[in-house]
């Protein structure tokens, strides 16, 4: 899924953005009659598309949630909550989800939102190049009556509601879908509409919808979103009062402390080495568990987090987010930094003198390159870096046995199981779990367990793959946001930038 790519490129770029600390910032207060006053967001990335089937949900939250309503949203913990779907029921065999829909809602073009419109959007999303992942298990959508939609599944799918909630259930006007114009002109039922004064790639202004069905959740007026990739420019915009919510780097966090602004942070992605050939099919050393374990012991995650990540994150050697279901705190001591242990394991595996390999490198990952060079040198490993432009990294990196990665994480633990372990992704095109019967069996136990027993099965799987050194995770990095004192941001693991539902007036 492209969202993971966004985490790789953009979060790492943000981590690199160093700027001088300023002072004298303004604390933008309410200047209108609206309960929340103005909301001016400094986002890292531009909207990828106004078409929800094509949009990347990573940084698209503020943009898409302004103009579209979802069937299902998520709360701060990433738990699905009602939106246009007021409630839902999952059948006893987990293969049917029945949604009850809100009535009295219209799209900005005047069309009525009902079950038929919902099915039209859902079918469109299922075919989407990016949105389709959410609906891979869906057999069909059925409009039972005007306010009821049935989702029939080919197999149980515990990620469906979560994916719908993080940005894959935005409802679009049927006529706009048919016209094929959504990429440039969004037509939804959201709390705002895109204003004609917007300048693509520079600034987006939104007009508040009168009598929106959920107006209390969207108190801000006016609303603007500014895509500002350069951290220094974004920090200066916060100081000058142009924006009052900032996707924060280290300098922005210092500015917040000096100005009494709010800070919100939560882990967003893991940093380390992604292995793509754990069976050793193309690169024999990685097929030995002891080699992979050695590459866990050899990296000092705490030092890397402090020196490269500015301490903004959690030291961890697992891919399940810290503090969320599936994460096993005791595993974080499994690979305590120990170069001697790493060398011993390599020797046991027959690589006392190390080995040679090629790895890809791109500018956005160069901040971690010296760490890898130094660590590999201690182990006798010789790496040849193949330099490439970042846009080629996604295509080429998975063809190497391992590569430096910053991959986004999910709040839903089953989504982590599917994306990180079980199903092909751009960063893991051949999971090869069939080469590891114990892992394959553990995955199946997760996917078939009763809800009351699933957490224990997920923790067991996490323990197994961590012991087998499925990855070499150095730390989990934060996404941070600063906001003026009258605004509170709630980060959500799984979203690089939260939706407007997670930005509230204090």
């Amino acid at each position: 899924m492209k969202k993971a790519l966004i985490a790789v490129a953009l979060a790492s770029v943000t981590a690199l953005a160093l700027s001088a600390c300023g002072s004298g910032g303004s604390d933008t207060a309410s200047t209108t009659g609206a309960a929340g006053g103005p909301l001016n967001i400094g986002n890292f990335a531009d909207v990828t598309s106004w078409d929800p089937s094509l949009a990347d949900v990573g940084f698209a939250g503020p943009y898409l949630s302004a103009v579209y309503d979802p069937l299902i949203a998520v709360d701060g913990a990433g738990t699905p909550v009602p939106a246009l779907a007021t409630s839902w029921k999952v059948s006893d065999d987990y293969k049917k989800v029945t949604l009850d829909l809100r009535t009295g809602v219209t799209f900005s073009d005047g069309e009525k939102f009902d079950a038929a419109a919902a099915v039209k959007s859902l079918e469109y999303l299922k075919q989407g190049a990016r949105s389709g992942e959410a609906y891979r298990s869906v057999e069909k959508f059925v409009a039972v009556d005007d306010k009821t939609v049935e989702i029939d599944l080919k197999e149980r799918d515990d990620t469906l509601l979560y994916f719908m909630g993080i940005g894959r259930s935005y409802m679009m006007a049927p006529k706009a879908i048919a016209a094929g114009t959504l990429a440039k002109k969004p037509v939804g039922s959201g709390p705002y509409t895109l204003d004609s004064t917007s300048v693509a790639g520079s600034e987006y202004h939104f007009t508040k919808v009168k009598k929106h069905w959920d107006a209390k959740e969207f108190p801000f007026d006016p609303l603007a979103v500014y895509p500002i990739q350069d951290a220094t420019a974004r920090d200066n915009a916060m100081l000058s009062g142009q924006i009052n919510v900032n996707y924060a780097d280290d300098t922005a966090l210092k500015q917040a402390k000096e100005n009494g602004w709010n800070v919100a942070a939560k882990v967003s992605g893991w940093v380390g080495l992604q292995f793509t050939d754990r069976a050793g099919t193309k690169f024999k050393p990685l097929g030995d568990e002891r080699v992979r374990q050695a590459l866990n012991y050899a990296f000092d995650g705490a030092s890397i987090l402090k020196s490269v990540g500015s301490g903004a994150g959690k030291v961890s050697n697992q891919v399940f987010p810290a503090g969320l279901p599936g994460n096993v705190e005791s595993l974080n001591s499994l690979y305590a930094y120990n170069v001697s242990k790493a060398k011993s394991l390599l020797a046991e595996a027959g690589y006392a003198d190390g080995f040679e390999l090629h790895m890809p490198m791109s500018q956005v990952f160069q901040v971690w390159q010296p760490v890898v060079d130094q660590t590999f040198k201690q182990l006798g490993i010789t790496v040849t870096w193949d330099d490439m432009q970042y846009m080629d990294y996604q295509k080429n990196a998975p063809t190497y046995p391992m590569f430096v990665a910053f991959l986004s994480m999910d709040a839903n633990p089953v989504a982590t199981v599917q994306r990180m372990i079980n199903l092909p992704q751009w960063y893991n095109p051949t999971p090869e779990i069939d080469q590891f019967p114990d892992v394959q069996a553990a995955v199946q136990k997760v996917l078939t367990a009763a809800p009351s027993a699933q957490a224990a099965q997920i923790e067991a799987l996490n323990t197994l793959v961590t012991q087998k050194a499925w990855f070499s995770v150095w730390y989990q990095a934060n996404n941070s946001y600063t906001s003026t004192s009258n605004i509170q941001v709630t980060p959500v693991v799984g979203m690089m930038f939260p939706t407007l539902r997670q930005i509230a007036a204090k």
Side-chain angles (χ1 to χ4, degrees):
M1 189 177 183
K2 300 292 187 179
K3 177 178 70 67
L5 173 60
I6 290 294
V8 175
L10 303 185
S12 52
V13 169
T14 303
L16 299 176
L18 303 178
S19 56
C21 182
S23 61
S26 62
D27 191 353
T28 306
S30 176
T31 58
T32 74
L39 178 60
N40 299 306
I41 298 172
N43 203 339
F44 180 87
D46 196 2
V47 62
T48 48
S49 176
W50 291 104
D51 183 337
S53 75
L54 301 174
D56 187 292
V57 298
F59 282 91
Y63 303 105
L64 296 187
S65 64
V67 294
Y68 296 107
D69 285 322
L71 281 176
I72 296 171
V74 294
D75 62 15
T79 302
V81 296
L84 286 179
T86 58
S87 64
W88 52 85
K89 181 180 179 180
V90 180
S91 63
D92 291 342
D93 65 358
Y94 309 107
K95 295 176 68 175
K96 189 186 301 291
V97 181
T98 304
L99 305 173
D100 294 323
L101 304 185
R102 192 172 302 279
T103 59
V105 176
T106 58
F107 295 101
S108 60
D109 66 354
E111 289 185 88
K112 177 183 177 182
F113 169 75
D114 56 14
V119 167
K120 182 79 171 179
S121 283
L122 288 168
E123 290 175 341
Y124 185 68
L125 291 168
K126 187 179 189 307
Q127 298 302 316
R130 289 183 168 177
S131 58
E133 181 190 24
Y135 302 100
R136 59 181 178 78
S137 300
V138 172
E139 179 71 36
K140 61 181 178 179
F141 306 101
V142 179
V144 178
D145 55 39
D146 282 352
K147 59 178 184 178
T148 310
V149 168
E150 183 180 279
I151 304 177
D152 294 335
L153 304 176
K154 293 175 286 188
E155 59 187 1
R156 174 179 170 179
D157 188 347
D158 296 326
T159 65
L160 173 65
L161 297 176
Y162 166 73
F163 284 145
M164 291 176 72
I166 62 171
R168 294 310 186 195
S169 67
Y170 287 120
M171 295 289 97
M172 301 151 276
K175 290 181 181 178
I177 294 175
T181 55
L182 286 168
K184 297 293 185 181
K185 186 179 180 181
V187 185
S189 63
Y192 301 86
T193 56
L194 183 63
D195 194 273
S196 60
T197 60
S198 300
V199 180
S202 177
E203 56 188 73
Y204 298 92
H205 298 274
F206 301 86
T207 301
K208 192 171 178 62
V209 172
K210 295 180 179 180
K211 297 182 179 180
H212 182 263
W213 63 270
D214 204 15
K216 67 180 187 305
E217 290 294 327
F218 306 97
F220 300 103
D221 187 23
L223 167 66
V225 183
Y226 299 88
I228 308 173
Q229 184 170 337
D230 182 76
T232 302
R234 203 169 54 250
D235 295 342
N236 287 339
M238 186 76 178
L239 282 172
S240 70
Q242 179 189 6
I243 62 175
N244 51 17
V245 173
N246 187 10
Y247 182 72
D249 65 342
D250 190 49
T251 296
L253 298 177
K254 294 175 183 176
Q255 291 174 346
K257 185 176 181 180
E258 293 174 354
N259 290 278
W261 296 335
N262 296 317
V263 174
K266 192 172 285 185
V267 292
S268 65
W270 67 266
V271 181
L273 297 178
Q274 166 70 6
F275 300 142
T276 62
D277 188 19
R278 301 177 187 91
T281 305
K282 297 179 181 179
F283 187 69
K284 185 178 178 181
L286 275 188
D288 194 309
E289 184 176 299
R290 293 167 295 184
V291 172
R292 301 194 304 270
Q293 290 171 337
L295 294 177
N296 274 264
Y297 281 113
F299 285 91
D300 187 354
S303 294
I304 301 171
L305 173 58
K306 182 178 180 179
S307 61
V308 180
S310 301
K314 300 285 187 181
V315 176
S316 181
N317 51 27
Q318 53 191 302
V319 298
F320 289 80
L324 293 181
N327 184 279
V328 181
E329 182 66 26
S330 61
L331 289 176
N332 289 327
S333 60
L334 182 61
Y335 296 111
Y337 176 55
N338 190 332
V339 175
S340 296
K341 177 70 172 177
K343 290 180 177 179
S344 176
L345 284 166
L346 286 177
E348 289 178 20
Y351 301 100
D353 297 324
F355 48 79
E356 298 180 358
L357 81 162
H358 282 248
M359 291 178 64
M361 180 48 60
S362 181
Q363 183 179 5
V364 297
F365 298 100
Q366 287 176 353
V367 67
W368 293 292
Q369 187 174 353
V371 172
V372 179
D373 283 332
Q374 180 182 356
T375 302
F376 280 5
K377 183 177 181 180
Q378 290 179 292
L379 302 178
I381 298 173
T382 301
V383 58
T384 299
W385 296 102
D386 295 338
D387 293 323
M388 60 190 68
Q389 295 296 316
Y390 174 70
M391 294 308 294
D392 295 323
Y393 200 84
Q394 182 192 14
K395 178 178 68 176
N396 294 324
T399 67
Y400 291 77
M402 59 182 165
F403 59 93
V404 179
F406 186 138
L407 298 177
S408 66
M409 300 185 295
D410 284 290
N412 180 289
V414 181
T416 301
V417 171
Q418 296 287 51
R419 284 177 161 177
M420 292 293 170
I421 301 170
N422 188 39
L423 298 179
Q425 304 289 331
W426 76 264
Y427 49 84
N428 188 24
T430 54
E432 295 184 318
I433 68 166
D434 58 327
Q435 302 296 313
F436 301 86
D438 51 352
V439 175
Q440 189 173 42
V443 167
Q444 287 307 305
K445 287 181 179 179
V446 168
L447 300 181
T448 59
S452 61
Q454 195 171 47
Q457 295 297 342
I458 292 171
E459 291 183 3
L461 172 62
N462 184 19
T463 299
L464 177 62
V465 297
T466 304
Q467 290 172 340
K468 297 177 80 69
W470 213 248
F471 321 85
S472 176
V473 179
W474 306 336
Y475 63 91
Q476 296 181 1
N478 285 349
N479 264 6
S480 300
Y481 314 87
T482 61
S483 58
T484 50
S485 61
N486 61 316
I487 298 172
Q488 185 65 55
V489 178
T490 300
V492 179
V493 177
M495 296 179 179
M496 294 302 290
F497 208 112
T499 72
L500 295 182
R501 288 179 176 275
Q502 282 81 43
I503 302 176
K506 289 193 69 176

